[in-house]
Amino acid sequence: MKKKRGLLIIFSGPSGVGKGTVRDLFIEREDLNLAFSISMTTRSQREGENEGEHYYFVSREAFEKAIEEDALLEHAEFVGNYYGTPIAEVNRLRDMGKNVLLEIEVQGALQVIEKVPDALSIFLVPPNMEELRRRLEGRRTESDTVLQERLSKAAKEMELMNQYRYVICNDDPEFAADMVSLIIRRNIEATL
């Protein structure tokens, strides 16, 4: 008997909203049968990030070649760097029956929603913009200019939340993770 193809799950929200923190709280839940899709980027590797675990770090030339070859499910450019999702890996995992989680920027998420209308889309929002600013400043990874760009972009992205099937407020990361898990579980059951 052929394995049932896995779901494609889009997990998105503005930079600094806590996507990684929330994801870490639900990604290992066995009943969700999740595989995390690793994005490709041209940005520099941050301390603590590992190649092939957090991102595939590539040159701008290699990324542009992937765009030309239509090898990306989605891609976006932000603050001078490209980010994208290699299509072959997503399809391989879904064909194995895994539910593939894409943790991606809003611009890329909207591309996937358009290409794969049955994708499960979840948008994570901060309790308010002041909390988002506090979280971004707490990272201490960007200059003031980049921080302002991220906050401006976040405000625009928040206006697009109605493009997603589900919106969850990350006021409490454990509660947000439980809500994401419930949504995924219900969608898995709906396809059985």
Side-chain angles (χ1 to χ4, degrees):
M1 188 172 124
K2 190 179 175 196
K3 253 191 183 155
K4 191 178 146 320
R5 194 161 203 245
L7 297 172
L8 181 60
I9 304 160
I10 300 164
F11 187 53
S12 189
S15 180
V17 75
K19 293 181 297 289
T21 300
V22 172
R23 177 205 63 228
D24 288 347
L25 292 169
F26 72 80
I27 192 83
E28 299 296 330
R29 295 180 185 180
E30 288 184 26
D31 64 322
L32 301 180
N33 190 29
L34 293 172
F36 184 61
S37 171
I38 298 170
S39 296
M40 189 164 55
T41 185
T42 59
R43 80 155 167 76
S44 299
Q45 198 168 335
R46 291 180 183 153
E47 191 175 323
E49 289 181 331
N50 298 314
E51 170 71 24
E53 181 184 340
H54 296 95
Y55 284 99
Y56 295 114
F57 297 94
V58 300
S59 68
R60 191 165 188 84
E61 296 73 33
F63 199 103
E64 288 172 350
K65 185 173 186 221
I67 294 171
E68 285 171 29
E69 294 174 352
D70 204 22
L72 300 170
L73 182 58
E74 57 78 32
H75 69 277
E77 188 172 8
F78 178 62
V79 197
N81 293 301
Y82 281 126
Y83 297 83
T85 303
I87 219 165
E89 181 66 2
V90 169
N91 286 335
R92 184 186 72 78
L93 292 166
R94 289 185 74 196
D95 289 344
M96 290 171 48
K98 290 287 193 180
N99 298 309
V100 178
L101 182 70
L102 302 180
E103 183 183 317
I104 54 179
E105 296 283 329
V106 173
Q107 182 182 345
L110 296 177
Q111 291 173 42
V112 178
I113 289 167
E114 188 175 311
K115 286 181 188 174
V116 188
D118 65 339
L120 173 59
S121 55
I122 303 168
F123 190 80
L124 196 64
V125 297
N128 54 58
M129 290 304 283
E130 280 310 305
E131 176 61 16
L132 185 64
R133 171 185 286 282
R134 190 189 66 71
R135 291 176 187 179
L136 285 169
E137 287 173 345
R139 283 182 177 177
R140 292 187 168 89
T141 57
E142 282 116 3
S143 67
D144 285 344
T145 304
V146 172
L147 178 70
Q148 289 309 316
E149 285 177 28
R150 286 196 185 276
L151 288 167
S152 173
K153 183 173 187 242
K156 289 181 182 111
E157 289 172 338
M158 300 282 279
E159 294 172 11
L160 300 170
M161 73 175 81
N162 65 340
Q163 302 293 313
Y164 293 74
R165 264 203 345 226
Y166 299 94
V167 176
I168 296 173
C169 179
N170 184 19
D171 197 9
D172 173 349
E174 288 189 22
F175 182 76
D178 287 343
M179 297 301 347
V180 171
S181 296
L182 178 64
I183 290 166
I184 294 170
R185 202 172 297 113
R186 291 247 170 106
N187 278 272
I188 291 169
E189 290 167 3
T191 62
L192 294 178

